[in-house]
Amino acid sequence: MLEAAGVNFVAVRPDVNEDEAKARLNDAAEIAGELACAKALSVSALRPGDWVIGSDSVVSCDGRLFDKPRDRADAVEHLRFFSGRPMILTSAVALTLDDAVDWQHVSTATLQVRDLSDEFIAAYLDAEWPEVGYTVGVFRLEGRGVQLFDRIDGDHFTILGMPLLPLLGALRARGVVQL
């Protein structure tokens, strides 16, 4: 997303224990926000003087929080649970400089999952596995995952995993990007 938007960046893997935050918090917005900040701060410590972006997404459905599936069988269970229900996707982004959070934004989208048959789930995973195994909602909207839904309410970039438009505004306000 950043590359397509013309933002120069270097990707650095953060060193963050996500399980700790997930065990301590039970609100999707708090978890996504805290993890976005923690990821940015983790990298910020290694990159003094650089603006660092961190992001995270959390999926909830009927009050249950979901992680990325552990394996294909777990993905099947997730998809069966989502079937016919609204999935809430919460994405957060944080901007840090010199070990301090300067800005943060959390956004949500509601994705109404259509009724999914076991046959559809099997065919879908045959076509999309293992790529969707790396996603918290077991879908890629830019791929066949769009077929999981009857309706989507929310920002496209939030659904892709990072509220890009608010982030671009924050980067412009700080003179990081000039577009």
Side-chain angles (χ1 to χ4, degrees):
M1 285 188 279
L2 292 172
E3 185 177 328
V7 177
N8 293 323
F9 67 96
V10 175
V12 178
R13 183 176 299 277
D15 183 19
V16 173
N17 180 349
E18 294 187 28
D19 294 334
E20 189 278 327
K22 291 175 182 176
R24 188 172 36 80
L25 302 169
N26 60 4
D27 178 77
E30 288 178 358
I31 293 169
E34 183 168 314
L35 288 176
C37 290
K39 289 175 180 182
L41 287 168
S42 170
V43 175
S44 189
L46 306 172
R47 310 274 312 198
D50 287 347
W51 287 100
V52 177
I53 300 164
S55 65
D56 195 74
S57 294
V58 175
V59 164
S60 60
C61 185
D62 278 355
R64 178 177 162 190
L65 297 173
F66 286 82
D67 288 322
K68 295 173 186 169
R70 293 181 304 274
D71 53 31
R72 186 173 164 142
D74 199 32
V76 169
E77 189 274 323
H78 288 196
L79 291 169
R80 283 183 180 149
F81 190 89
F82 298 152
S83 180
R85 295 182 168 115
M87 172 196 298
I88 309 300
L89 192 144
T90 304
S91 293
V93 61
L95 191 56
T96 62
L97 179 65
D98 294 328
D99 294 330
V101 175
D102 184 71
W103 176 87
Q104 176 185 1
H105 180 83
V106 179
S107 182
T108 62
T110 302
L111 299 91
Q112 179 59 52
V113 180
R114 66 185 183 85
D115 290 328
L116 306 175
S117 68
D118 286 343
E119 294 78 17
F120 172 84
I121 291 171
Y124 170 72
L125 290 175
D126 285 345
E128 291 289 293
W129 192 263
E131 289 82 5
V132 295
Y134 306 113
T135 67
V136 70
V138 197
F139 73 92
R140 295 179 305 144
L141 197 61
E142 65 277 18
R144 293 182 188 187
V146 72
Q147 292 191 36
L148 296 174
F149 308 106
D150 281 332
R151 188 181 72 255
I152 296 174
D153 298 311
D155 176 70
H156 178 74
F157 298 109
T158 294
I159 297 164
L160 294 181
M162 184 171 51
L164 183 62
L165 298 178
L167 172 62
L168 291 174
L171 292 172
R172 283 191 299 272
R174 287 153 182 79
V176 178
V177 296
Q178 306 293 325
L179 294 176

